[in-house]
Structures are given as C-alpha cells and as structure tokens.
Amino acid sequence: MQADDYIAYANAQLERLLVYETVFKEYVHTAKNIEKGNCYASESLERLRDYFSKNVLRFTKFIGEVEAVTPPAGFCNFHAELVGGLQDMSHAVSVTLMGIEPTGVNHQLFDVGCVQEAAARTRIDHAFDQLHQPQAM
C-alpha cells in the first residue's frame, strides 16, 4: 500500500471510529437518563446493555480489520499507536458496559470506563496528529 492510499484508508477508518464513538456516547447518555427515569417506557438498562454489547462486538471486529492492514514504510509508529488506542477504547467501553447492570448502574465501573475511554480518545487523537509526519525511513 502506498503512503497516499494508507492516509486515505486511515482517514476513512477515522470516520468509522467517529460513528462508534457517537454510538457509545449515546449509550452512556441513555444509561444516565434511564437511571434518572427520564426515558421511554420501552427503554431499560437490560435492553441498553444488549444493544451496547452488540456494538462492542462490532467494534472489536473493526479493530481487527484495522490491525490486519500492513502500513507502508514510515507509518508503522502511527499504525501501532492507532491500534493501541483502539484496543484501549475497546477495553474502556467493555468496562463501561460491565457497569450497566439490569437493576442499575454500577458507577464505580461505569465511571472508570468513561474515564478510560476519554484517555483512549486522546491517544487516538495524538496518533492522527502525527499521521502527516511520517517517521524517518
């Protein structure tokens, strides 16, 4: 894969990542609303947990697809940092998911997951900041 193709690929994956981030943020928001009772009658933590877990599985598959790409020379550090950040995010959203229990939100897990997700986003943002600065060959 040529450098220009790889940059286009990485930017396309960023767009996919933004969709996942939006979905996961909405799940966090919805969990808080359900806990407050500010929700539709059809919404429950159990159903939210089901939807959340399905998207965590899809996100894990997405990470595998990104990880399987061999970056061109000069982009190995970026690729490793991106995959590491995605794996961090996967762990974080899994912790957040574990905090959503059928009977309530376990805030210890839920809040730790949210903090870890923010840290993973920072790591991914840093990787993309470096994308246009390839390492020396």
Side-chain angles (χ1 to χ4, degrees):
M1 182 178 289
Q2 299 293 325
D4 289 344
D5 294 334
Y6 181 76
I7 291 171
Y9 170 81
N11 284 324
Q13 299 319 304
L14 176 60
E15 290 178 25
R16 288 180 66 193
L17 173 61
L18 293 174
V19 171
Y20 281 110
E21 284 183 341
T22 300
V23 168
F24 294 140
K25 284 179 187 177
E26 281 300 312
Y27 288 152
V28 167
H29 181 73
T30 301
K32 291 176 182 178
N33 281 342
I34 291 171
E35 190 175 38
K36 289 188 259 182
N38 185 16
C39 60
Y40 295 111
S42 63
E43 292 179 316
S44 69
L45 291 173
E46 194 169 349
R47 288 182 80 185
L48 177 65
R49 184 175 169 77
D50 183 49
Y51 295 134
F52 201 142
S53 63
K54 288 176 183 176
N55 276 293
V56 168
L57 292 174
R58 288 182 185 106
F59 186 63
T60 301
K61 182 180 176 191
F62 164 70
I63 294 169
E65 292 168 3
V66 172
E67 191 172 18
V69 170
T70 302
F75 291 91
C76 293
N77 288 345
F78 162 77
H79 191 76
E81 193 65 17
L82 173 61
V83 170
L86 292 172
Q87 290 169 339
D88 290 352
M89 183 169 286
S90 178
H91 175 77
V93 296
S94 294
V95 171
T96 302
L97 174 61
M98 286 188 288
I100 300 173
E101 300 171 353
T103 58
V105 175
N106 175 334
H107 285 281
Q108 186 174 8
L109 285 173
F110 188 84
D111 295 344
V112 165
C114 291
V115 168
Q116 289 176 348
E117 187 177 348
R121 266 194 227 104
T122 299
R123 182 176 180 185
I124 292 166
D125 288 347
H126 178 72
F128 274 95
D129 288 344
Q130 303 304 311
L131 180 59
H132 298 287
Q133 300 172 14
Q135 63 195 35
M137 291 188 211

